[in-house]
Amino acid sequence: MNTKLLTIFILLNVANVIIQTIKSIATVKCGKVGASLTNAVAYGLYTIVTIYLMCDLPLMWKAVIVALCNLVGVFVVKWAEERLRKDKLWKIEATVRNSYTEALHENLTARGIPHNYIPDLGKYTVFNLYCETQTESKFAKEILDRHKAKYFVSESKAL
């Protein structure tokens, strides 16, 4: 068995999976230049990987290596993406029955979640919540669900 060939094959596949995953994310989240540069690098490397797929290693080894590289590579990139994701301001608009107004207001205040509300719009109260962190958003969802609120969420966008 050629260990040098095996090592090159593994390293190329790890690099390919990581770059292809980044390419997928960049295509959605980046502008034209970033997406096209990432695609160029990804497909350039993919050409090399394709040639190495024809190397003199057993087929099952190649299949297992490619599968494991995908399993680990995608996980690592997605994990890093989550860690690098910045918190954004989320506005949550919720509607609750008037009977839940005071309890909901007290629970949100106790958790320190910034909000305001317009009471007695017919049989409903409208709440506007402003969550700056993922933790605040999680607590807001739990509190709103507990009070049978109907709500929708919008993310802040850069102008």
Side-chain angles (χ1 to χ4, degrees):
M1 177 183 66
N2 186 340
T3 56
K4 183 178 177 183
L5 179 62
L6 179 62
T7 304
I8 292 171
F9 185 75
I10 291 170
L11 292 175
L12 280 172
N13 273 285
V14 167
N16 183 52
V17 168
I18 289 172
I19 291 170
Q20 291 291 342
T21 306
I22 291 170
K23 174 198 68 107
S24 297
I25 294 167
T27 300
V28 173
K29 293 188 174 186
C30 292
K32 294 179 282 230
V33 173
S36 59
L37 287 173
T38 308
N39 265 277
V41 170
Y43 283 107
L45 179 62
Y46 181 71
T47 302
I48 297 168
V49 171
T50 302
I51 299 302
Y52 269 87
L53 278 172
M54 294 182 274
C55 72
D56 202 18
L57 291 172
L59 177 61
M60 286 309 294
W61 285 26
K62 289 187 246 184
V64 169
I65 290 167
V66 170
L68 290 174
C69 287
N70 273 276
L71 182 71
V72 173
V74 172
F75 182 87
V76 167
V77 172
K78 291 300 288 179
W79 176 83
E81 179 195 21
E82 288 173 4
R83 294 289 175 253
L84 295 172
R85 186 179 304 144
K86 295 177 184 172
D87 283 330
K88 296 181 180 182
L89 179 65
W90 294 89
K91 179 182 180 189
I92 304 170
E93 293 185 42
T95 305
V96 294
R97 291 204 168 265
N98 288 334
S99 57
Y100 291 109
T101 301
E102 271 312 305
L104 180 55
H105 171 64
E106 289 171 10
N107 282 300
L108 292 170
T109 302
R111 275 289 181 186
I113 298 173
H115 65 281
N116 61 34
Y117 63 96
I118 305 167
D120 300 321
L121 295 173
K123 39 187 179 168
Y124 297 100
T125 298
V126 175
F127 277 82
N128 293 298
L129 290 66
Y130 304 93
C131 300
E132 294 181 9
T133 65
Q134 293 174 22
T135 304
E136 273 186 357
S137 298
K138 182 181 134 206
F139 289 137
K141 180 185 179 341
E142 290 171 2
I143 293 168
L144 291 170
D145 288 343
R146 201 173 331 133
H147 292 88
K148 299 180 174 87
K150 304 280 189 221
Y151 56 89
F152 69 92
V153 181
S154 55
E155 171 188 6
S156 65
K157 298 284 185 189
L159 294 176

